[in-house]
Every structure is written in structure tokens, then in C-alpha cells.
Amino acid sequence: MERLYNEGKCGGIGVCNFTVPQLKDLLANCTVRPLVNQVEAHPFFVDAELHAFCASEGIQVMAYSPLGSADSYSGKLVGAILLQDDEVNAVAKEAGISAAQALLCWGMRDGACVLAKSVREDRIEENLRSQDIKLDASLLARLTKLDRGYRFGLGWMKGHFWDDEAWSAEEKNAP
């Protein structure tokens, strides 16, 4: 990627699902710093350490699954539906907005770029209106307290799926 960047074939380099240790290793060995780290981020998976590290290094966080991913394998398996969470809906009701808007506002609280998926025009428009909504600190804190270390991509596993600490030796070496 660095070669492509240096040849002018791309305007920047981004990474996806990098953890703090992975970013530190990359930053110590790269000549072109990543501009973006695309990661799963929502109130069930806050990962404050990663977000703070990215901010301190000038790496933009791009958050995917900000509304949860109830249709993902782990979402179906565990039945964790972020949009139906009682506290999410209580915060939304108190703010006079939808649960989706509350989650998107939470995702954008520290300047993250938030990627919400929808195919319905009315929901896309509602999501876009979230840019103009500011939740007060107490409402944001209530959403942050929902952190369970739960990833919809790999809901049963805390953190990044390539972290050495996350997998047993058998799992790492499985075919």
C-alpha cells in the first residue's frame, strides 16, 4: 500500500479492525501513516482505549455497525438487538429522537465517522438528520455504560479476533 501511495495511485492508507498493539507496531514500522482505522463501534462495544489512541495519533475512527447488527450470526445467536435495548430507547425518548438517531449521535460524539447501513429511504434520511442532533453528556454517558465488550462481528469474543490473547493455541492453529 505504501508503494501505491508513493506512486500517487491512492490518496491515503487505511486499516480495518486494528487494535492498539497492532497500530503501535504498524506506526513503528511504516513510512506512510494510516489515515483511518475502520472498527466496529457502538454502546455494546465501546473500546475507549482504541478510540483514545487513534485520536492521540491523528487516526480517524470510522465506525461500522453503529446500530448493532441484529442480522449477523452472533446477533441472531445471542439475541442482542441494540435498537431494542431498553436504555437505548429510554435515552432516545428522553431526547425526543429515534433509537437509531441516539446511537448514531453516540457514535459521532468524539468525531468518529459513522457508517449506518439501510436500504430504506426514510431511514437513510433519518440517519442523515442525526448529524444535526447533539445529545447532552449525561445521555451519552448512559449509552456508554451499556458497554459489554460485545462485538456483533464476533459477539462472544471480547476485542479483536486476531489478538493473541483472544484465541487459544488450538484455535490459532486450526485449519
Side-chain angles (χ1 to χ4, degrees):
M1 287 302 301
E2 289 182 332
R3 181 178 53 78
L4 294 173
Y5 175 82
N6 290 330
E7 291 173 358
K9 294 183 178 175
C10 62
I13 295 176
V15 295
C16 186
N17 294 320
F18 270 49
T19 61
V20 172
Q22 290 170 321
L23 285 169
K24 285 180 178 178
D25 185 48
L26 176 66
L27 293 172
N29 294 291
C30 69
T31 57
V32 180
R33 297 170 59 86
L35 298 175
V36 175
N37 186 16
Q38 186 182 63
V39 296
E40 182 173 347
H42 45 73
F44 284 1
F45 188 64
V46 175
D47 205 350
E49 178 190 10
L50 176 66
H51 291 257
F53 181 81
C54 287
S56 74
E57 292 294 332
I59 300 170
Q60 175 69 49
V61 171
M62 182 180 289
Y64 66 82
S65 296
L67 307 178
S69 248
D71 61 344
S72 69
Y73 173 75
S74 58
K76 290 177 185 173
L77 182 70
V78 178
I81 301 176
L82 190 54
L83 284 167
Q84 294 176 2
D85 183 84
D86 290 340
E87 185 66 1
V88 170
N89 281 283
V91 165
K93 183 176 182 181
E94 194 172 319
I97 58 178
S98 72
Q101 288 175 317
L103 292 168
L104 293 172
C105 289
W106 179 89
M108 292 183 284
R109 73 200 179 286
D110 293 325
C113 171
V114 180
L115 304 173
K117 178 183 113 176
S118 184
V119 295
R120 290 186 33 191
E121 186 175 344
D122 60 325
R123 287 186 180 160
I124 294 169
E125 290 172 358
E126 178 182 291
N127 292 346
L128 285 171
R129 287 193 299 275
S130 299
Q131 299 174 89
D132 301 323
I133 300 168
K134 300 292 182 227
L135 291 180
D136 69 47
S138 67
L139 295 177
L140 291 171
R142 284 170 54 190
L143 293 174
T144 300
K145 286 181 184 176
L146 296 174
D147 188 17
R148 303 173 184 176
Y150 181 85
R151 293 177 59 127
F152 286 95
L154 292 166
W156 55 271
M157 185 182 303
K158 186 175 176 102
H160 186 273
F161 53 90
W162 291 120
D163 278 347
D164 286 337
E165 298 165 6
W167 292 90
S168 69
E170 295 80 27
E171 291 168 317
K172 283 189 237 180
N173 298 319

